[in-house]
mmCIF file of all heavy atoms in Angstrom:
data_model
loop_
_atom_site.group_PDB
_atom_site.id
_atom_site.type_symbol
_atom_site.label_atom_id
_atom_site.label_comp_id
_atom_site.label_asym_id
_atom_site.label_seq_id
_atom_site.Cartn_x
_atom_site.Cartn_y
_atom_site.Cartn_z
ATOM 1 N N PRO J 48 9.757 -36.668 6.571
ATOM 2 C CA PRO J 48 10.969 -35.829 6.084
ATOM 3 C C PRO J 48 12.088 -36.661 5.588
ATOM 4 O O PRO J 48 12.298 -37.797 6.166
ATOM 5 C CB PRO J 48 11.321 -34.873 7.230
ATOM 6 C CG PRO J 48 10.243 -35.094 8.264
ATOM 7 C CD PRO J 48 9.558 -36.287 7.997
ATOM 8 N N ALA J 49 12.842 -36.246 4.670
ATOM 9 C CA ALA J 49 13.999 -36.978 4.159
ATOM 10 C C ALA J 49 15.199 -36.949 5.198
ATOM 11 O O ALA J 49 15.289 -35.964 5.989
ATOM 12 C CB ALA J 49 14.494 -36.270 2.843
ATOM 13 N N LYS J 50 15.841 -38.063 5.292
ATOM 14 C CA LYS J 50 16.922 -38.173 6.223
ATOM 15 C C LYS J 50 18.188 -37.277 5.772
ATOM 16 O O LYS J 50 18.850 -36.724 6.644
ATOM 17 C CB LYS J 50 17.439 -39.588 6.321
ATOM 18 C CG LYS J 50 16.461 -40.542 7.075
ATOM 19 C CD LYS J 50 16.981 -41.888 7.206
ATOM 20 C CE LYS J 50 15.891 -42.762 7.845
ATOM 21 N NZ LYS J 50 16.432 -44.115 8.040
ATOM 22 N N SER J 51 18.268 -37.021 4.545
ATOM 23 C CA SER J 51 19.340 -36.241 4.036
ATOM 24 C C SER J 51 18.962 -35.608 2.734
ATOM 25 O O SER J 51 18.064 -36.032 2.073
ATOM 26 C CB SER J 51 20.699 -36.966 3.786
ATOM 27 O OG SER J 51 20.546 -37.877 2.860
ATOM 28 N N SER J 52 19.637 -34.518 2.463
ATOM 29 C CA SER J 52 19.422 -33.780 1.270
ATOM 30 C C SER J 52 20.367 -34.239 0.142
ATOM 31 O O SER J 52 21.526 -34.501 0.493
ATOM 32 C CB SER J 52 19.439 -32.318 1.330
ATOM 33 O OG SER J 52 19.309 -31.649 0.143
ATOM 34 N N GLN J 53 20.013 -34.323 -1.100
ATOM 35 C CA GLN J 53 20.955 -34.703 -2.153
ATOM 36 C C GLN J 53 21.653 -33.397 -2.747
ATOM 37 O O GLN J 53 22.461 -33.572 -3.671
ATOM 38 C CB GLN J 53 20.286 -35.523 -3.227
ATOM 39 C CG GLN J 53 19.735 -36.869 -2.781
ATOM 40 C CD GLN J 53 19.038 -37.644 -3.876
ATOM 41 O OE1 GLN J 53 18.950 -37.157 -4.955
ATOM 42 N NE2 GLN J 53 18.550 -38.770 -3.532
ATOM 43 N N ILE J 54 21.254 -32.273 -2.343
ATOM 44 C CA ILE J 54 21.772 -31.037 -2.787
ATOM 45 C C ILE J 54 23.301 -30.953 -2.376
ATOM 46 O O ILE J 54 23.649 -31.110 -1.172
ATOM 47 C CB ILE J 54 21.015 -29.848 -2.408
ATOM 48 C CG1 ILE J 54 19.638 -30.023 -2.863
ATOM 49 C CG2 ILE J 54 21.674 -28.528 -2.713
ATOM 50 C CD1 ILE J 54 18.770 -28.685 -2.272
ATOM 51 N N LYS J 56 25.780 -32.930 -3.103
ATOM 52 C CA LYS J 56 26.598 -34.171 -3.113
ATOM 53 C C LYS J 56 27.124 -34.480 -4.500
ATOM 54 O O LYS J 56 26.395 -34.375 -5.443
ATOM 55 C CB LYS J 56 25.752 -35.366 -2.595
ATOM 56 C CG LYS J 56 25.352 -35.383 -1.193
ATOM 57 C CD LYS J 56 24.635 -36.683 -0.835
ATOM 58 C CE LYS J 56 24.241 -36.745 0.670
ATOM 59 N NZ LYS J 56 23.589 -37.880 0.994
#
Side-chain angles (χ1 to χ4, degrees):
K50 291 182 180 180
S51 66
S52 172
Q53 295 180 1
I54 296 173
K56 288 187 177 181

